[in-house]
Amino acid sequence: METETGKTPPTTHDETLLIRRILDGQTGLFRQLAGRYATQVMRMVGRLIPSPEEAEEVTQDTMLEAYQSLARFDARKASFYTWLMRIAHHTALKHYRQHHKAVAIVEMEPNWLETVADDETDALLNDTNRVALMEKAIDTLKPDDQMLLNLYYFDNRPIREIACITERSEGYLHSRLQWIRKKMAITIKNLENNEEK
């Protein structure tokens, strides 16, 4: 397996040794370690925070937090990548909540989800002619749900890893993803109905 740069990704053992060297005083090596994942962090942050300047700031805040917390990293619980993405996740959400106006989020009653069938949901979300409506529907989601959607559908991260990043149970994430899909389908239908009027 190769990374986006075409290089073979480091093994957990290599990273553990590098982290040990950083903690033993070779702090300059942190730039090398963090640099391996800067693009992935920036991409994840950028999906929630579209301003390149703000996304860069949040990415730097993530790396600073990771550096300051490095002694608490435990390779037995998660890979460095997953641990770093957890920090990025929380840092991006915190920044978003502090610096962005709340989007008009319409909470739906549980029975509303039954108004659209699973096959209709799939059809609405897979229709390439509805991309603009899908983007509007995504914008109506809470930031946490947007991040979950990005991690699962756009970054293709496994639920087990997302559970570690978001600190949620796998069962919760499965049901939340189903809820998000239904909500987006209903939002797309509502947007289409409003455009037709």
Side-chain angles (χ1 to χ4, degrees):
M1 182 176 119
E2 291 189 346
T3 62
E4 294 171 357
T5 60
K7 297 176 184 173
T8 304
T11 63
T12 302
H13 180 69
D14 293 338
E15 287 187 342
T16 303
L17 292 176
L18 188 56
I19 290 166
R20 191 172 299 134
R21 289 173 61 194
I22 294 165
L23 293 173
D24 285 343
Q26 297 180 41
T27 56
L29 292 174
F30 183 77
R31 183 181 303 267
Q32 175 187 341
L33 178 64
R36 294 175 179 176
Y37 304 110
T39 301
Q40 293 95 318
V41 169
M42 183 74 163
R43 183 183 308 121
M44 186 176 95
V45 167
R47 290 209 181 101
L48 183 63
I49 301 167
S51 160
E53 295 80 18
E54 284 186 68
E56 177 67 32
E57 179 186 331
V58 172
T59 298
Q60 289 176 2
D61 289 347
T62 296
M63 297 307 183
L64 179 61
E65 174 67 25
Y67 176 74
Q68 292 172 339
S69 305
L70 195 59
R72 293 194 301 269
F73 169 69
D74 186 347
R76 295 168 299 184
K77 293 182 179 177
S79 68
F80 180 77
Y81 168 82
T82 301
W83 181 78
L84 182 62
M85 294 305 272
R86 179 187 305 155
I87 294 171
H89 172 82
H90 291 294
T91 305
L93 287 173
K94 180 179 176 185
H95 179 90
Y96 183 88
R97 290 182 181 122
Q98 290 175 344
H99 296 92
H100 293 270
K101 282 184 177 180
V103 178
I105 296 169
V106 178
E107 284 297 334
M108 297 187 177
E109 299 296 325
N111 61 343
W112 289 13
L113 300 180
E114 297 166 10
T115 64
V116 61
D118 290 339
D119 56 344
E120 186 180 7
T121 298
D122 292 340
L124 286 166
L125 297 180
N126 293 329
D127 185 349
T128 55
N129 295 321
R130 291 185 168 101
V131 171
L133 291 174
M134 189 177 305
E135 288 173 357
K136 287 181 183 178
I138 290 171
D139 287 342
T140 68
L141 297 173
K142 292 179 180 180
D144 306 64
D145 290 337
Q146 289 182 31
M147 293 290 273
L148 175 56
L149 199 67
N150 286 323
L151 286 167
Y152 188 73
Y153 288 105
F154 297 109
D155 292 344
N156 296 313
R157 307 314 309 175
I159 287 288
R160 182 183 71 255
E161 186 176 300
I162 297 171
C164 189
I165 291 170
T166 61
E167 299 177 295
R168 297 284 194 165
S169 72
E170 291 182 34
Y172 169 84
L173 294 175
H174 279 294
S175 66
R176 192 68 186 173
L177 281 165
Q178 289 177 336
W179 186 92
I180 291 168
R181 286 175 52 81
K182 291 274 192 170
K183 181 177 183 200
M184 285 182 56
I186 292 167
T187 303
I188 289 169
K189 282 178 66 172
N190 289 340
L191 289 169
E192 282 181 330
N193 290 338
N194 290 338
E195 284 181 358
E196 290 170 5
K197 291 178 181 176

